[in-house]
Amino acid sequence: MGFIADSLNRIEPSATIAVSTKARQLKAAGRDVISLSAGEPDFDTPENVKAAAVRAMAEGKTKYTDVDGIPELKAAIVRKFARENGLDYKPSQISVGTGGKQVIYNALLATLNPGDEVVIPAPCWVSYADIVMLAGATPVFAETRPEDGYKLKPEALQAAITPRTKWLIFNSPSNPTGAAYTKDEMKALTDVLLRHEHVWVLSDDIYEHLIYDGLTFHTPAAVEPGLVGRTLTMNGLSKAYCMTGWRLGFAGGPETLINAMRKLQSQSTSNPCSITQWAAVEALDGPQDFIAENNKKFVERRDLVVAMLNQASGLQCPNPQGAFYVYPSCAGVIGKTSGSGAKIATDEDFATALLEEEGVAVVHGAAFASSPAFRVSYATSKDVLEDACRRIQRFCGNLR
Ligand SMILES: Cc1ncc(COP(=O)(O)O)c(C=O)c1O
């Protein structure tokens, strides 16, 4: 009998964290490495948010708080949902956790039993399936296609639902593809969900504000109010507010679920950092104009990366409208051999050889349950992106 729990054997360490760690180690060892693997903006946290944290410390707001958030933050989140999403939650319907990841973890661990199924459109964020499996339940991937802009079609959703389906996890704009749904596209999916009353929706809206080309953000509970009673609308400060290290996520949903999530959190981390919570009040209530400024830079970077990757032989890169990722297909390089003789049989081989030979770290598509492809994060400067894309072009050009 092994010492480590069986449940741990069902899951893998986060592939994105693994690639970022490897890139950092190579850099520390003196290698010239460009990491396009991180899921975080390179911009700094806004000054007013940092100042709110300093104030909170000076005022001694450094003790335990209510497990799932201080009332002031819950009130700010209620205002955010009303102002930005047209959703009418009460404070008792709000949960605050240590990052969006904990909120998702709480929701899934609090509801899933062995045998339950969770529909996850693929490609998808690395952690959804592993959290589902940790809970003993089964992820069911609903495939999306590059020619549909990696957006789930209603027929594919319908086909993935069974009597055992407990959740659909929905993520727009998406990590890793950047795909963002229009209202009509989302309505087509919520229409399917209306016909399946046993299926709940976990909407991961963490990239809400990172949306481009004039597209408007939509979330399922607002598009179809008939789903409010079985939707958890999750969000967080990591991405748009450049606060990945502060660790704050939140969600609005039915009280029975929110209470269960609080119970679980009360026996794990307790409250999220008190100082972060006060900074979060300022982030949500304070000026928001920096988001549009950052987005202008993201669009320039996206355009640069998409254009340059489409010039690399064997790669095909769609032009997504959200988040800070692109997800090029590398089907055209599979079966080839790299300049240094590495066989490229999978997208993981591609990513490994690219890192070894050109010092560019990307995350292979298999980590996101969709191959052969890879994810590039363009949350870094244009100079760095240009250098990285030139290296990718050279790597692809040397394949035989
Ligand atoms: C789609 C998606 N959801 C949730 C998270 C969790 O973010 P955090 O825990 O930093 O709030 C991430 C982070 O990479 C993500 O990409």
Side-chain angles (χ1 to χ4, degrees), residues 30-73:
R31 284 278 307 273
D32 169 24
V33 168
I34 301 177
S35 181
L36 304 181
S37 59
E40 65 181 351
D42 54 326
F43 307 125
D44 199 5
T45 306
E47 288 303 324
N48 62 311
V49 177
K50 290 191 202 170
V54 171
R55 252 190 335 269
M57 281 187 279
E59 291 168 5
K61 290 170 173 158
T62 54
K63 310 286 193 215
Y64 289 132
T65 73
D66 290 345
V67 165
D68 62 356
I70 54 176
E72 291 83 353
L73 178 54

Side-chain angles (χ1 to χ4, degrees), residues 348-366:
E348 188 163 7
D349 294 341
F350 175 84
T352 305
L354 180 64
L355 182 56
E356 293 295 329
E357 295 175 27
E358 289 288 351
V360 177
V362 298
V363 185
H364 54 287

Side-chain angles (χ1 to χ4, degrees), residues 119-122 141-145 148-158 160 168-170 179 181 185 188-189:
V119 174
I120 307 173
F141 294 111
E143 292 303 325
T144 65
R145 302 180 307 176
D148 298 327
Y150 287 115
K151 295 185 212 179
L152 185 64
K153 290 284 176 190
E155 311 78 64
L157 173 58
Q158 173 64 47
L168 162 70
I169 301 183
F170 190 78
Y181 288 66
E185 287 163 347
L189 298 177

Side-chain angles (χ1 to χ4, degrees), residues 85-115:
N85 308 114
L87 289 171
D88 181 23
Y89 289 116
K90 298 195 290 266
S92 57
Q93 294 178 298
I94 302 296
S95 176
V96 185
T98 303
K101 195 180 236 176
Q102 187 184 27
V103 174
I104 295 168
Y105 183 94
N106 286 346
L108 295 174
L109 266 286
T111 54
L112 292 175
N113 293 309

Side-chain angles (χ1 to χ4, degrees), residues 26-344:
L26 286 173
K27 245 187 204 167
R31 284 278 307 273
D32 169 24
V33 168
I34 301 177
S35 181
L36 304 181
S37 59
E40 65 181 351
D42 54 326
F43 307 125
D44 199 5
T45 306
E47 288 303 324
N48 62 311
V49 177
K50 290 191 202 170
V54 171
R55 252 190 335 269
M57 281 187 279
E59 291 168 5
K61 290 170 173 158
T62 54
K63 310 286 193 215
Y64 289 132
T65 73
D66 290 345
V67 165
D68 62 356
I70 54 176
E72 291 83 353
L73 178 54
K74 288 191 178 182
I77 292 167
V78 165
R79 287 192 290 277
K80 175 261 178 284
F81 277 131
R83 183 178 68 239
E84 297 182 340
N85 308 114
L87 289 171
D88 181 23
Y89 289 116
K90 298 195 290 266
S92 57
Q93 294 178 298
I94 302 296
S95 176
V96 185
T98 303
K101 195 180 236 176
Q102 187 184 27
V103 174
I104 295 168
Y105 183 94
N106 286 346
L108 295 174
L109 266 286
T111 54
L112 292 175
N113 293 309
D116 289 341
E117 293 174 357
V118 176
V119 174
I120 307 173
C124 55
W125 181 46
V126 288
S127 295
Y128 299 139
D130 288 276
I131 299 174
V132 167
M133 290 188 288
L134 188 64
T138 307
V140 175
F141 294 111
E143 292 303 325
T144 65
R145 302 180 307 176
E147 55 269 37
D148 298 327
Y150 287 115
K151 295 185 212 179
L152 185 64
K153 290 284 176 190
E155 311 78 64
L157 173 58
Q158 173 64 47
I161 293 174
T162 75
R164 314 203 80 150
T165 308
K166 205 148 199 180
W167 288 99
L168 162 70
I169 301 183
F170 190 78
N171 176 220
S172 170
S174 150
N175 176 3
T177 65
Y181 288 66
T182 65
K183 189 173 186 184
D184 287 348
E185 287 163 347
M186 195 173 286
K187 184 76 173 68
L189 298 177
T190 57
D191 283 350
V192 173
L193 293 164
L194 279 180
R195 298 199 294 270
H196 299 280
E197 287 182 10
H198 64 294
V199 179
W200 283 55
V201 186
L202 198 173
S203 187
D204 178 345
D205 296 352
I206 199 143
Y207 294 97
E208 164 174 15
H209 293 295
L210 306 183
I211 194 158
Y212 318 123
D213 307 335
L215 205 68
T216 313
F217 171 81
H218 296 284
T219 192
V223 166
E224 178 46 75
L227 292 177
V228 170
R230 50 187 167 102
T231 298
L232 186 72
T233 305
M234 172 257 150
N235 212 316
L237 300 184
S238 285
K239 312 294 176 172
Y241 294 87
C242 312
M243 292 176 68
T244 46
W246 297 69
R247 311 307 303 130
L248 196 118
F250 57 85
E255 270 174 32
T256 41
L257 173 60
I258 296 294
N259 294 344
M261 290 163 64
R262 182 189 316 117
K263 185 173 173 184
L264 184 58
Q265 191 163 307
S266 78
Q267 295 294 12
S268 55
T269 57
S270 300
N271 62 276
C273 169
S274 60
I275 300 153
T276 293
Q277 290 190 66
W278 285 102
V281 173
E282 173 62 24
L284 292 174
D285 283 347
Q288 306 288 308
D289 32 321
F290 68 93
I291 294 177
E293 284 162 29
N294 290 350
N295 283 359
K296 251 190 237 154
K297 296 195 186 112
F298 279 139
V299 168
E300 286 174 13
R301 295 164 174 190
R302 177 203 61 183
D303 292 347
L304 172 85
V305 167
V306 169
M308 287 189 76
L309 291 182
N310 276 322
Q311 285 160 15
S313 88
L315 302 187
Q316 260 193 321
C317 185
N319 188 17
Q321 293 180 298
F324 39 66
Y325 309 108
V326 292
Y327 199 67
S329 160
C330 57
V333 306
I334 300 300
K336 299 200 167 178
T337 304
S338 78
S340 304
K343 290 258 176 286
I344 311 295

